[in-house]
DNA sequence: AAGTTATCAAACAATGTGTTCATTATTTCA
DNA sequence: TGAAATAATGAACACATTGTTTGATAACTT
């Protein structure tokens, strides 16, 4: 279902529903949001909602998926990075993209979204970077997983704090910080 | 409201409700759990539920709070630890306690519970440990916060994975791993 | 044993859910 | 452009959950 091949009506409907949902999500946790409310705010029939989404959670999931799709595209243009400069740059790109879409991101990455989404974003940037280091160092598969997890989740934590604090620092700085901490752990 | 001062009936009611809730939480996410279902499984009147809890989320919150209370007690017996051995031991204690109460913990710390709860547990063990290192190193307050966050959230990630993997490794090993990674970051 | 307090069953209006169906509006493409 | 295809709509529906209130009953405390 690429947005290109969609009927214009469908595009409009989905756009309005997502917009409405995001707007409501700013005010209350997802558990308190009703389908009815989403539809009223979007001025979309409730039956139409059910034609596209199962419930609020399915809707959130789809928003997140679309987001990751975008991020992947942003990264696709970057060649596989072997040097530090390139790694940091990849991280910076992602973090910069997050800043551009601050409104939605700060929602999805705040307490509102779910932790899995955080992880997925960070893993995109680091997976290949970590893969190399698995080889370089002589780590058991399981140990490597634990360390990988430590780094990934920690990085997510940092990004989240940065967002909550209003994204005042430049993205490069955060990217550099994550990279440095990662290196230390892998020393 | 310490459990000591409670009417026996109240103790019983709350016990049954929590038990029922935990049991249901194994099968479905909290959002899909209804008050009615909790009460039926607990054989408690619905009106009685509302006398004690606002909703499922309030109930979960209270379960988590009780849990943290327990953990704090477990730690209270440990003197302020300055050496590595003592720090690791403190971590091991917590992780060991988690293992003892595996059933509930694996729920609260899995995707089911919320991230804040993870953080709160780990912070208990590390707060004072980190405090020292803020002084030793010359870090700006903000930088220290970011690094602290990286470590805390990363540690939570490791513990979570350990639980999900069935807690096969001994608790000391995980404690040692967290300590080592923490030290590396702070190097 | 008497007084206090928690739980209970039953009932209630209010609200949301998920689905169906005929009707209307928009889009697609031949 | 005009016909066929498709999507959105409004209304209605049975059903479930919610949160609250009532007076009666049972258990606890002192």
């Amino acid at each position: 279902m690429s947005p290109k091949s969609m009927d214009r009506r469908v595009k409009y409907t989905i756009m309005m529903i997502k917009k409405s949902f995001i707007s409501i999500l700013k005010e209350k946790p997802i558990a308190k949001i009703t389908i009815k409310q989403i539809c009223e705010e979007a001025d979309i029939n409730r039956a139409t909602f059910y034609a596209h989404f199962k419930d609020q959670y399915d809707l959130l999931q789809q928003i997140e998926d679309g987001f990751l799709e975008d991020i992947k595209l942003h990264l696709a243009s970057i060649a596989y990075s072997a040097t530090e400069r390139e790694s940091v740059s990849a991280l910076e790109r992602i973090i910069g993209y997050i800043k551009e879409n601050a409104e939605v991101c700060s929602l999805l990455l705040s307490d509102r979204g779910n932790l899995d989404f955080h992880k997925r974003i960070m893993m995109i940037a680091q997976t290949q970077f970590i893969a190399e280091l698995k080889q370089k160092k002589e780590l058991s598969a399981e140990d490597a997983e634990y360390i990988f997890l430590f780094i990934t989740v920690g990085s997510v934590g940092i990004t989240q704090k940065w967002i909550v604090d209003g994204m005042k620092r430049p993205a490069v700085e955060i990217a550099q910080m994550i990279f440095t901490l990662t290196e230390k752990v892998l020393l």
Side-chain angles (χ1 to χ4, degrees), chain A:
Chain A
M1 291 276 187
S2 67
K4 239 182 186 176
S5 65
M6 271 186 194
D7 191 313
R8 287 176 189 174
R9 288 167 295 183
V10 176
K11 278 195 258 183
Y12 174 82
T13 297
I14 289 181
M15 211 186 76
M16 292 305 284
I17 287 178
K18 286 184 177 175
K19 197 174 161 188
S20 152
F21 175 68
I22 292 288
S23 142
I24 299 172
L25 198 55
K26 282 177 202 158
E27 286 156 18
K28 51 171 82 171
I30 188 169
K32 303 283 175 200
I33 299 177
T34 67
I35 314 292
K36 197 189 175 206
Q37 193 188 359
I38 298 172
C39 293
E40 272 170 5
E41 178 124 353
D43 195 27
I44 295 292
N45 193 279
R46 211 153 46 79
T48 308
F49 179 96
Y50 287 111
H52 296 290
F53 308 99
K54 202 171 151 285
D55 51 29
Q56 315 104 290
Y57 303 94
D58 181 43
L59 171 54
L60 178 61
Q61 177 82 44
Q62 290 198 32
I63 291 176
E64 288 178 353
D65 287 350
F67 215 82
L68 285 177
E69 215 50 48
D70 275 2
I71 288 185
K72 275 179 190 162
L73 286 180
H74 267 248
L75 275 179
S77 55
I78 303 181
Y80 278 30
S81 47
T83 72
E84 162 165 352
R85 172 170 296 175
E86 282 168 340
S87 287
V88 174
S89 155
L91 278 170
E92 188 192 348
R93 274 240 176 183
I94 291 185
I95 295 177
Y97 174 76
I98 290 175
K99 191 169 188 172
E100 277 168 35
N101 299 269
E103 198 190 56
V104 181
C105 276
S106 44
L107 267 181
L108 297 186
L109 292 175
S110 74
D111 302 332
R112 291 313 214 280
N114 55 46
L115 182 58
D116 271 358
F117 180 63
H118 298 208
K119 283 192 209 160
R120 279 198 283 164
I121 283 193
M122 281 300 147
M123 278 166 86
I124 289 175
Q126 295 195 328
T127 291
Q128 139 221 351
F129 170 67
I130 298 286
E132 291 169 19
L133 280 146
K134 244 185 204 166
Q135 293 183 323
K136 280 187 194 167
K137 316 256 304 178
E138 288 142 15
L139 291 171
S140 80
E142 207 190 42
D143 278 1
E145 268 179 48
Y146 273 108
I147 293 171
F148 176 45
L149 196 68
F150 184 85
I151 294 170
T152 305
V153 180
S155 304
V156 167
I158 284 186
T159 312
Q160 196 176 2
K161 176 175 167 49
W162 175 68
I163 290 171
V164 170
D165 288 355
M167 294 172 289
K168 284 167 191 161
R169 291 193 173 196
V172 214
E173 228 172 283
I174 303 300
Q176 184 64 56
M177 183 186 290
I178 290 176
F179 182 84
T180 305
L181 290 172
T182 302
E183 269 209 322
K184 277 186 179 174
V185 169
L186 292 169
L187 210 61

PDB file of all heavy atoms in Angstrom, chain A residues 3-29:
ATOM      1  N   PRO A   3       1.711   4.988  -0.624  1.00  0.00           N
ATOM      2  CA  PRO A   3       0.811   6.156  -0.683  1.00  0.00           C
ATOM      3  C   PRO A   3       0.561   6.621  -2.110  1.00  0.00           C
ATOM      4  O   PRO A   3      -0.433   7.278  -2.372  1.00  0.00           O
ATOM      5  CB  PRO A   3       1.552   7.227   0.130  1.00  0.00           C
ATOM      6  CG  PRO A   3       2.918   6.678   0.400  1.00  0.00           C
ATOM      7  CD  PRO A   3       2.858   5.211   0.212  1.00  0.00           C
ATOM      8  N   LYS A   4       1.466   6.274  -2.997  1.00  0.00           N
ATOM      9  CA  LYS A   4       1.292   6.691  -4.390  1.00  0.00           C
ATOM     10  C   LYS A   4       0.075   6.032  -5.019  1.00  0.00           C
ATOM     11  O   LYS A   4      -0.709   6.662  -5.704  1.00  0.00           O
ATOM     12  CB  LYS A   4       2.546   6.312  -5.206  1.00  0.00           C
ATOM     13  CG  LYS A   4       3.213   7.512  -5.857  1.00  0.00           C
ATOM     14  CD  LYS A   4       4.412   7.055  -6.680  1.00  0.00           C
ATOM     15  CE  LYS A   4       5.169   8.257  -7.226  1.00  0.00           C
ATOM     16  NZ  LYS A   4       6.387   7.855  -7.945  1.00  0.00           N
ATOM     17  N   SER A   5      -0.052   4.746  -4.747  1.00  0.00           N
ATOM     18  CA  SER A   5      -1.104   3.962  -5.406  1.00  0.00           C
ATOM     19  C   SER A   5      -2.457   4.115  -4.720  1.00  0.00           C
ATOM     20  O   SER A   5      -3.415   3.468  -5.093  1.00  0.00           O
ATOM     21  CB  SER A   5      -0.702   2.490  -5.402  1.00  0.00           C
ATOM     22  OG  SER A   5      -0.647   2.016  -4.078  1.00  0.00           O
ATOM     23  N   MET A   6      -2.516   4.995  -3.712  1.00  0.00           N
ATOM     24  CA  MET A   6      -3.756   5.115  -2.957  1.00  0.00           C
ATOM     25  C   MET A   6      -4.744   6.074  -3.611  1.00  0.00           C
ATOM     26  O   MET A   6      -4.374   7.093  -4.170  1.00  0.00           O
ATOM     27  CB  MET A   6      -3.456   5.653  -1.559  1.00  0.00           C
ATOM     28  CG  MET A   6      -3.155   4.587  -0.524  1.00  0.00           C
ATOM     29  SD  MET A   6      -3.015   5.370   1.088  1.00  0.00           S
ATOM     30  CE  MET A   6      -2.270   4.062   2.044  1.00  0.00           C
ATOM     31  N   ASP A   7      -5.985   5.703  -3.462  1.00  0.00           N
ATOM     32  CA  ASP A   7      -7.083   6.607  -3.808  1.00  0.00           C
ATOM     33  C   ASP A   7      -6.912   7.897  -2.995  1.00  0.00           C
ATOM     34  O   ASP A   7      -6.561   7.869  -1.826  1.00  0.00           O
ATOM     35  CB  ASP A   7      -8.391   5.902  -3.438  1.00  0.00           C
ATOM     36  CG  ASP A   7      -9.590   6.633  -3.989  1.00  0.00           C
ATOM     37  OD1 ASP A   7      -9.643   7.869  -3.828  1.00  0.00           O
ATOM     38  OD2 ASP A   7     -10.451   5.987  -4.581  1.00  0.00           O
ATOM     39  N   ARG A   8      -7.190   9.013  -3.637  1.00  0.00           N
ATOM     40  CA  ARG A   8      -7.015  10.287  -2.937  1.00  0.00           C
ATOM     41  C   ARG A   8      -7.849  10.370  -1.674  1.00  0.00           C
ATOM     42  O   ARG A   8      -7.456  10.963  -0.677  1.00  0.00           O
ATOM     43  CB  ARG A   8      -7.407  11.442  -3.856  1.00  0.00           C
ATOM     44  CG  ARG A   8      -6.416  11.697  -4.949  1.00  0.00           C
ATOM     45  CD  ARG A   8      -6.915  12.777  -5.868  1.00  0.00           C
ATOM     46  NE  ARG A   8      -6.075  12.899  -7.059  1.00  0.00           N
ATOM     47  CZ  ARG A   8      -6.370  13.695  -8.073  1.00  0.00           C
ATOM     48  NH1 ARG A   8      -7.465  14.426  -8.035  1.00  0.00           N
ATOM     49  NH2 ARG A   8      -5.569  13.751  -9.118  1.00  0.00           N
ATOM     50  N   ARG A   9      -9.052   9.768  -1.747  1.00  0.00           N
ATOM     51  CA  ARG A   9      -9.919   9.790  -0.566  1.00  0.00           C
ATOM     52  C   ARG A   9      -9.267   9.062   0.592  1.00  0.00           C
ATOM     53  O   ARG A   9      -9.301   9.520   1.746  1.00  0.00           O
ATOM     54  CB  ARG A   9     -11.264   9.133  -0.906  1.00  0.00           C
ATOM     55  CG  ARG A   9     -12.127   9.959  -1.813  1.00  0.00           C
ATOM     56  CD  ARG A   9     -13.279   9.125  -2.344  1.00  0.00           C
ATOM     57  NE  ARG A   9     -12.820   8.027  -3.209  1.00  0.00           N
ATOM     58  CZ  ARG A   9     -13.651   7.203  -3.838  1.00  0.00           C
ATOM     59  NH1 ARG A   9     -14.949   7.318  -3.677  1.00  0.00           N
ATOM     60  NH2 ARG A   9     -13.181   6.243  -4.611  1.00  0.00           N
ATOM     61  N   VAL A  10      -8.652   7.930   0.270  1.00  0.00           N
ATOM     62  CA  VAL A  10      -7.996   7.140   1.326  1.00  0.00           C
ATOM     63  C   VAL A  10      -6.854   7.938   1.944  1.00  0.00           C
ATOM     64  O   VAL A  10      -6.700   7.984   3.164  1.00  0.00           O
ATOM     65  CB  VAL A  10      -7.464   5.811   0.741  1.00  0.00           C
ATOM     66  CG1 VAL A  10      -6.713   5.047   1.813  1.00  0.00           C
ATOM     67  CG2 VAL A  10      -8.603   4.999   0.181  1.00  0.00           C
ATOM     68  N   LYS A  11      -6.085   8.560   1.078  1.00  0.00           N
ATOM     69  CA  LYS A  11      -4.973   9.363   1.574  1.00  0.00           C
ATOM     70  C   LYS A  11      -5.461  10.439   2.539  1.00  0.00           C
ATOM     71  O   LYS A  11      -4.906  10.632   3.618  1.00  0.00           O
ATOM     72  CB  LYS A  11      -4.223  10.019   0.408  1.00  0.00           C
ATOM     73  CG  LYS A  11      -3.216   9.097  -0.266  1.00  0.00           C
ATOM     74  CD  LYS A  11      -2.264   9.879  -1.152  1.00  0.00           C
ATOM     75  CE  LYS A  11      -2.658   9.743  -2.613  1.00  0.00           C
ATOM     76  NZ  LYS A  11      -1.714  10.439  -3.524  1.00  0.00           N
ATOM     77  N   TYR A  12      -6.533  11.107   2.122  1.00  0.00           N
ATOM     78  CA  TYR A  12      -7.086  12.163   2.961  1.00  0.00           C
ATOM     79  C   TYR A  12      -7.560  11.606   4.302  1.00  0.00           C
ATOM     80  O   TYR A  12      -7.233  12.128   5.370  1.00  0.00           O
ATOM     81  CB  TYR A  12      -8.244  12.867   2.244  1.00  0.00           C
ATOM     82  CG  TYR A  12      -8.962  13.874   3.099  1.00  0.00           C
ATOM     83  CD1 TYR A  12      -8.447  15.152   3.251  1.00  0.00           C
ATOM     84  CD2 TYR A  12     -10.136  13.537   3.776  1.00  0.00           C
ATOM     85  CE1 TYR A  12      -9.101  16.089   4.050  1.00  0.00           C
ATOM     86  CE2 TYR A  12     -10.784  14.468   4.587  1.00  0.00           C
ATOM     87  CZ  TYR A  12     -10.265  15.734   4.707  1.00  0.00           C
ATOM     88  OH  TYR A  12     -10.906  16.646   5.503  1.00  0.00           O
ATOM     89  N   THR A  13      -8.318  10.540   4.230  1.00  0.00           N
ATOM     90  CA  THR A  13      -8.856   9.934   5.451  1.00  0.00           C
ATOM     91  C   THR A  13      -7.743   9.588   6.427  1.00  0.00           C
ATOM     92  O   THR A  13      -7.768   9.963   7.604  1.00  0.00           O
ATOM     93  CB  THR A  13      -9.629   8.651   5.099  1.00  0.00           C
ATOM     94  OG1 THR A  13     -10.742   8.996   4.276  1.00  0.00           O
ATOM     95  CG2 THR A  13     -10.118   7.964   6.352  1.00  0.00           C
ATOM     96  N   ILE A  14      -6.755   8.860   5.932  1.00  0.00           N
ATOM     97  CA  ILE A  14      -5.663   8.408   6.804  1.00  0.00           C
ATOM     98  C   ILE A  14      -4.884   9.594   7.361  1.00  0.00           C
ATOM     99  O   ILE A  14      -4.507   9.609   8.531  1.00  0.00           O
ATOM    100  CB  ILE A  14      -4.739   7.446   6.027  1.00  0.00           C
ATOM    101  CG1 ILE A  14      -5.491   6.135   5.800  1.00  0.00           C
ATOM    102  CG2 ILE A  14      -3.435   7.219   6.763  1.00  0.00           C
ATOM    103  CD1 ILE A  14      -4.711   5.090   5.064  1.00  0.00           C
ATOM    104  N   MET A  15      -4.704  10.592   6.515  1.00  0.00           N
ATOM    105  CA  MET A  15      -3.984  11.784   6.966  1.00  0.00           C
ATOM    106  C   MET A  15      -4.714  12.448   8.131  1.00  0.00           C
ATOM    107  O   MET A  15      -4.112  12.777   9.158  1.00  0.00           O
ATOM    108  CB  MET A  15      -3.854  12.771   5.815  1.00  0.00           C
ATOM    109  CG  MET A  15      -2.625  13.632   5.835  1.00  0.00           C
ATOM    110  SD  MET A  15      -2.722  14.859   4.508  1.00  0.00           S
ATOM    111  CE  MET A  15      -3.897  16.040   5.181  1.00  0.00           C
ATOM    112  N   MET A  16      -6.011  12.616   7.963  1.00  0.00           N
ATOM    113  CA  MET A  16      -6.798  13.285   8.997  1.00  0.00           C
ATOM    114  C   MET A  16      -6.832  12.475  10.289  1.00  0.00           C
ATOM    115  O   MET A  16      -6.753  13.034  11.387  1.00  0.00           O
ATOM    116  CB  MET A  16      -8.231  13.518   8.494  1.00  0.00           C
ATOM    117  CG  MET A  16      -8.335  14.531   7.376  1.00  0.00           C
ATOM    118  SD  MET A  16      -7.596  16.112   7.816  1.00  0.00           S
ATOM    119  CE  MET A  16      -8.883  16.770   8.903  1.00  0.00           C
ATOM    120  N   ILE A  17      -6.954  11.182  10.156  1.00  0.00           N
ATOM    121  CA  ILE A  17      -7.009  10.334  11.350  1.00  0.00           C
ATOM    122  C   ILE A  17      -5.690  10.423  12.116  1.00  0.00           C
ATOM    123  O   ILE A  17      -5.666  10.622  13.334  1.00  0.00           O
ATOM    124  CB  ILE A  17      -7.302   8.864  10.960  1.00  0.00           C
ATOM    125  CG1 ILE A  17      -8.760   8.726  10.524  1.00  0.00           C
ATOM    126  CG2 ILE A  17      -7.018   7.928  12.128  1.00  0.00           C
ATOM    127  CD1 ILE A  17      -9.152   7.331  10.083  1.00  0.00           C
ATOM    128  N   LYS A  18      -4.595  10.314  11.389  1.00  0.00           N
ATOM    129  CA  LYS A  18      -3.295  10.383  12.060  1.00  0.00           C
ATOM    130  C   LYS A  18      -3.087  11.738  12.724  1.00  0.00           C
ATOM    131  O   LYS A  18      -2.636  11.829  13.859  1.00  0.00           O
ATOM    132  CB  LYS A  18      -2.164  10.109  11.056  1.00  0.00           C
ATOM    133  CG  LYS A  18      -2.045   8.649  10.650  1.00  0.00           C
ATOM    134  CD  LYS A  18      -0.857   8.410   9.720  1.00  0.00           C
ATOM    135  CE  LYS A  18      -0.731   6.920   9.398  1.00  0.00           C
ATOM    136  NZ  LYS A  18       0.345   6.654   8.398  1.00  0.00           N
ATOM    137  N   LYS A  19      -3.449  12.768  11.989  1.00  0.00           N
ATOM    138  CA  LYS A  19      -3.292  14.117  12.514  1.00  0.00           C
ATOM    139  C   LYS A  19      -4.086  14.297  13.800  1.00  0.00           C
ATOM    140  O   LYS A  19      -3.576  14.799  14.808  1.00  0.00           O
ATOM    141  CB  LYS A  19      -3.777  15.102  11.444  1.00  0.00           C
ATOM    142  CG  LYS A  19      -3.323  16.538  11.627  1.00  0.00           C
ATOM    143  CD  LYS A  19      -3.762  17.363  10.412  1.00  0.00           C
ATOM    144  CE  LYS A  19      -3.757  18.850  10.700  1.00  0.00           C
ATOM    145  NZ  LYS A  19      -4.361  19.621   9.594  1.00  0.00           N
ATOM    146  N   SER A  20      -5.323  13.875  13.730  1.00  0.00           N
ATOM    147  CA  SER A  20      -6.186  13.983  14.902  1.00  0.00           C
ATOM    148  C   SER A  20      -5.622  13.196  16.076  1.00  0.00           C
ATOM    149  O   SER A  20      -5.571  13.670  17.210  1.00  0.00           O
ATOM    150  CB  SER A  20      -7.577  13.461  14.540  1.00  0.00           C
ATOM    151  OG  SER A  20      -8.250  12.956  15.661  1.00  0.00           O
ATOM    152  N   PHE A  21      -5.187  11.987  15.781  1.00  0.00           N
ATOM    153  CA  PHE A  21      -4.666  11.114  16.826  1.00  0.00           C
ATOM    154  C   PHE A  21      -3.433  11.732  17.503  1.00  0.00           C
ATOM    155  O   PHE A  21      -3.349  11.793  18.736  1.00  0.00           O
ATOM    156  CB  PHE A  21      -4.310   9.752  16.232  1.00  0.00           C
ATOM    157  CG  PHE A  21      -3.662   8.815  17.196  1.00  0.00           C
ATOM    158  CD1 PHE A  21      -4.372   8.299  18.274  1.00  0.00           C
ATOM    159  CD2 PHE A  21      -2.346   8.433  17.029  1.00  0.00           C
ATOM    160  CE1 PHE A  21      -3.773   7.420  19.165  1.00  0.00           C
ATOM    161  CE2 PHE A  21      -1.743   7.558  17.910  1.00  0.00           C
ATOM    162  CZ  PHE A  21      -2.457   7.050  18.976  1.00  0.00           C
ATOM    163  N   ILE A  22      -2.507  12.196  16.689  1.00  0.00           N
ATOM    164  CA  ILE A  22      -1.296  12.834  17.232  1.00  0.00           C
ATOM    165  C   ILE A  22      -1.666  14.002  18.130  1.00  0.00           C
ATOM    166  O   ILE A  22      -1.120  14.169  19.224  1.00  0.00           O
ATOM    167  CB  ILE A  22      -0.390  13.334  16.085  1.00  0.00           C
ATOM    168  CG1 ILE A  22       0.197  12.156  15.313  1.00  0.00           C
ATOM    169  CG2 ILE A  22       0.721  14.229  16.617  1.00  0.00           C
ATOM    170  CD1 ILE A  22       1.245  11.394  16.057  1.00  0.00           C
ATOM    171  N   SER A  23      -2.625  14.771  17.649  1.00  0.00           N
ATOM    172  CA  SER A  23      -3.030  15.946  18.422  1.00  0.00           C
ATOM    173  C   SER A  23      -3.620  15.563  19.778  1.00  0.00           C
ATOM    174  O   SER A  23      -3.376  16.213  20.786  1.00  0.00           O
ATOM    175  CB  SER A  23      -4.019  16.758  17.594  1.00  0.00           C
ATOM    176  OG  SER A  23      -5.030  17.294  18.404  1.00  0.00           O
ATOM    177  N   ILE A  24      -4.410  14.498  19.780  1.00  0.00           N
ATOM    178  CA  ILE A  24      -5.011  14.061  21.046  1.00  0.00           C
ATOM    179  C   ILE A  24      -3.963  13.427  21.957  1.00  0.00           C
ATOM    180  O   ILE A  24      -3.999  13.574  23.173  1.00  0.00           O
ATOM    181  CB  ILE A  24      -6.156  13.067  20.780  1.00  0.00           C
ATOM    182  CG1 ILE A  24      -7.250  13.731  19.950  1.00  0.00           C
ATOM    183  CG2 ILE A  24      -6.746  12.565  22.086  1.00  0.00           C
ATOM    184  CD1 ILE A  24      -8.332  12.783  19.486  1.00  0.00           C
ATOM    185  N   LEU A  25      -3.013  12.737  21.325  1.00  0.00           N
ATOM    186  CA  LEU A  25      -1.970  12.049  22.092  1.00  0.00           C
ATOM    187  C   LEU A  25      -1.138  13.030  22.911  1.00  0.00           C
ATOM    188  O   LEU A  25      -0.505  12.661  23.901  1.00  0.00           O
ATOM    189  CB  LEU A  25      -1.062  11.263  21.135  1.00  0.00           C
ATOM    190  CG  LEU A  25      -0.193  10.158  21.739  1.00  0.00           C
ATOM    191  CD1 LEU A  25      -1.018   9.156  22.522  1.00  0.00           C
ATOM    192  CD2 LEU A  25       0.623   9.470  20.667  1.00  0.00           C
ATOM    193  N   LYS A  26      -1.145  14.275  22.474  1.00  0.00           N
ATOM    194  CA  LYS A  26      -0.408  15.280  23.233  1.00  0.00           C
ATOM    195  C   LYS A  26      -1.050  15.528  24.584  1.00  0.00           C
ATOM    196  O   LYS A  26      -0.398  15.950  25.529  1.00  0.00           O
ATOM    197  CB  LYS A  26      -0.390  16.610  22.460  1.00  0.00           C
ATOM    198  CG  LYS A  26       0.608  16.642  21.324  1.00  0.00           C
ATOM    199  CD  LYS A  26       0.487  17.961  20.574  1.00  0.00           C
ATOM    200  CE  LYS A  26       1.054  17.824  19.172  1.00  0.00           C
ATOM    201  NZ  LYS A  26       0.521  18.847  18.266  1.00  0.00           N
ATOM    202  N   GLU A  27      -2.348  15.302  24.630  1.00  0.00           N
ATOM    203  CA  GLU A  27      -3.099  15.665  25.827  1.00  0.00           C
ATOM    204  C   GLU A  27      -3.338  14.516  26.791  1.00  0.00           C
ATOM    205  O   GLU A  27      -3.474  14.729  27.982  1.00  0.00           O
ATOM    206  CB  GLU A  27      -4.451  16.262  25.425  1.00  0.00           C
ATOM    207  CG  GLU A  27      -4.336  17.663  24.861  1.00  0.00           C
ATOM    208  CD  GLU A  27      -5.514  17.988  23.966  1.00  0.00           C
ATOM    209  OE1 GLU A  27      -6.543  17.295  24.061  1.00  0.00           O
ATOM    210  OE2 GLU A  27      -5.395  18.919  23.143  1.00  0.00           O
ATOM    211  N   LYS A  28      -3.433  13.310  26.258  1.00  0.00           N
ATOM    212  CA  LYS A  28      -3.736  12.190  27.152  1.00  0.00           C
ATOM    213  C   LYS A  28      -3.042  10.917  26.676  1.00  0.00           C
ATOM    214  O   LYS A  28      -2.745  10.771  25.490  1.00  0.00           O
ATOM    215  CB  LYS A  28      -5.243  11.975  27.247  1.00  0.00           C
ATOM    216  CG  LYS A  28      -5.949  11.864  25.910  1.00  0.00           C
ATOM    217  CD  LYS A  28      -7.387  11.450  26.079  1.00  0.00           C
ATOM    218  CE  LYS A  28      -8.324  12.581  26.414  1.00  0.00           C
ATOM    219  NZ  LYS A  28      -9.732  12.193  26.375  1.00  0.00           N
ATOM    220  N   PRO A  29      -2.797   9.998  27.598  1.00  0.00           N
ATOM    221  CA  PRO A  29      -2.156   8.727  27.226  1.00  0.00           C
ATOM    222  C   PRO A  29      -3.039   7.925  26.289  1.00  0.00           C
ATOM    223  O   PRO A  29      -4.278   8.050  26.337  1.00  0.00           O
ATOM    224  CB  PRO A  29      -1.987   8.013  28.561  1.00  0.00           C
ATOM    225  CG  PRO A  29      -2.983   8.660  29.478  1.00  0.00           C
ATOM    226  CD  PRO A  29      -3.082  10.080  29.018  1.00  0.00           C
TER     227      PRO A  29
END
